[in-house]
């Protein structure tokens, strides 16, 4: 039987713990600090230091308050034990993982203070489970580093394995190409010839409906659009 106690070394946050196997008892005090367990949790111990968890899968331990705290110095009320399926169910990952990723991107892209502020605002928004729509204007003279922030946020989504959530649009092919984006004509299927949009033109209406369906399909999963060079829209708008 393996026991989790204050004396034991807990796994480092962000690493998987080997299977604990079948365990028997658990202090009732742990109930409120545990969630996402894949197995049963039983209360059969009076000893508050003997926290034993019955699991059927690996567990994941994260410090949700201070991502960098060494596991051995964690307090029990700072620790949450999660079933590993939680990681797959939570599309935005954990807070400490998001922070680590943000820090490494700020460093890799050598963002200056203002760039970092803009980047973190976007990244935090992207990491929020149910964010309110973000409408952000990022202005500045040519060459002040706006594109670098966009590249950093694109990289942030890519490292999270969520590149599909962010689309960069530009008014022309050359602008779009600079940021590896697309033209909004292409993404929104804006027809070059709009003359055929009258109510008698059944084919025209059909093709418009088809275009909208295509656009919806293409933007499935996308939550944010970067519209070079003015605004960022939230798709629910
Ligand atoms: N923090 C930084 N450190 C070093 N170089 C940077 C930094 N930010 C931007 N640059 C460099 O400055 C140049 C201009 O940056 P960027 O293209 O991002 O500016 P911009 O504001 O988007 O310009 P424009 O409005 O003309 O498109 C680029 O060569 C970029 O690599």
């Amino acid at each position: 039987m393996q026991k989790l106690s204050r004396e034991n070394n807990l796994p480092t946050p962000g690493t998987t713990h080997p299977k604990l196997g079948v365990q028997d008892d658990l202090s009732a005090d742990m109930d409120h600090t545990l969630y996402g367990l894949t197995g049963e949790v039983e209360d059969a111990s009076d000893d508050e230091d003997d926290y034993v968890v019955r699991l059927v899968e690996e567990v994941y331990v994260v410090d949700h308050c201070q991502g960098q705290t060494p596991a051995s110095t964690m307090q029990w009320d700072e620790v949450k034990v999660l079933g590993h399926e939680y990681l797959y169910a939570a599309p935005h990952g954990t807070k400490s993982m998001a922070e680590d990723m943000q820090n490494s991107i700020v460093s890799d892209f050598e963002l200056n203070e203002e760039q970092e502020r803009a980047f973190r605002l976007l990244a935090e928004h992207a990491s929020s489970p149910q964010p309110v729509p973000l409408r952000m204007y990022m202005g500045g003279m040519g060459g002040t580093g706006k594109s670098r922030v966009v590249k950093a946020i694109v990289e942030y989504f890519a490292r999270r394995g969520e590149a599909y959530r962010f689309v960069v649009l530009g008014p022309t092919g050359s602008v779009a190409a600079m940021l590896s984006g697309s033209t909004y004509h292409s993404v929104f299927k804006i027809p070059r010839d709009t003359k055929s949009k009258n109510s008698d033109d059944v084919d025209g209406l059909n093709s418009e409906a088809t275009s909208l369906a295509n656009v919806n399909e293409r933007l499935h999963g996308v939550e944010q659009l970067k519209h070079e060079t003015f605004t960022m829209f939230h798709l629910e708008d």
Side-chain angles (χ1 to χ4, degrees):
M1 176 194 292
Q2 284 178 275
K3 294 184 176 181
L4 297 177
S5 75
R6 289 196 181 98
E7 288 72 38
N8 286 353
N9 278 338
L10 287 169
T12 305
T15 62
T16 49
H17 187 278
K19 262 185 187 174
L20 292 179
V22 176
Q23 311 296 333
D24 296 315
D25 46 8
L26 174 78
S27 163
D29 289 349
M30 279 296 282
D31 279 353
H32 67 283
T33 64
L34 296 175
Y35 62 92
L37 293 172
T38 56
E40 295 173 28
V41 175
E42 296 178 2
D43 176 12
S45 170
D46 292 332
D47 184 351
E48 287 190 8
D49 284 339
D50 287 343
Y51 299 123
V52 184
V53 186
R54 177 184 178 125
L55 299 174
V56 292
E57 295 287 351
E58 291 175 334
V59 294
Y60 216 90
V61 179
V62 295
D63 173 2
H64 63 94
C65 298
Q66 301 167 20
Q68 303 303 314
T69 306
S72 56
T73 66
M74 284 182 195
Q75 299 300 308
W76 272 111
D77 59 2
E78 294 175 337
V79 176
K80 289 190 176 184
V81 182
L82 310 171
H84 83 304
E85 84 283 3
Y86 170 86
L87 297 175
Y88 300 103
H92 304 287
T94 64
K95 193 167 188 300
S96 58
M97 288 161 72
E99 279 172 4
D100 288 349
M101 213 176 275
Q102 286 173 26
N103 293 341
S104 91
I105 287 179
V106 166
S107 163
D108 291 351
F109 282 77
E110 299 178 330
L111 299 182
N112 63 31
E113 198 178 325
E114 290 193 323
Q115 288 171 322
E116 179 178 345
R117 197 181 311 141
F119 167 74
R120 287 198 189 273
L121 210 154
L122 290 164
E124 278 300 313
H125 181 264
S127 312
S128 307
Q130 290 179 318
V132 292
L134 174 69
R135 301 178 189 88
M136 178 172 164
Y137 169 76
M138 189 165 58
M141 298 288 286
T144 48
K146 302 178 294 291
S147 300
R148 199 162 180 121
V149 175
V150 175
K151 285 175 186 164
I153 201 75
V154 166
E155 175 66 16
Y156 181 65
F157 278 103
R159 287 192 196 178
R160 291 165 63 96
E162 298 175 340
Y164 60 88
R165 289 180 61 200
F166 192 81
V167 169
V168 178
L169 301 179
T172 64
S174 53
V175 169
M178 281 194 304
L179 286 167
S180 307
S182 310
T183 64
Y184 47 69
H185 285 81
S186 141
V187 169
F188 293 129
K189 304 277 183 218
I190 298 172
R192 291 209 175 93
D193 177 12
T194 54
K195 286 179 191 159
S196 62
K197 285 188 186 172
N198 65 66
S199 55
D200 297 331
D201 183 355
V202 176
D203 285 345
L205 289 175
N206 282 343
S207 75
E208 192 175 349
T210 308
S211 284
L212 279 175
N214 286 342
V215 171
N216 276 337
E217 190 176 330
R218 180 147 188 191
L219 292 178
H220 182 72
V222 177
E223 290 173 16
Q224 295 186 327
L225 300 176
K226 167 71 174 68
H227 175 171
E228 177 74 20
T229 57
F230 287 106
T231 48
M232 180 172 294
F233 303 99
H234 196 279
L235 265 194
E236 286 173 13
D237 296 349

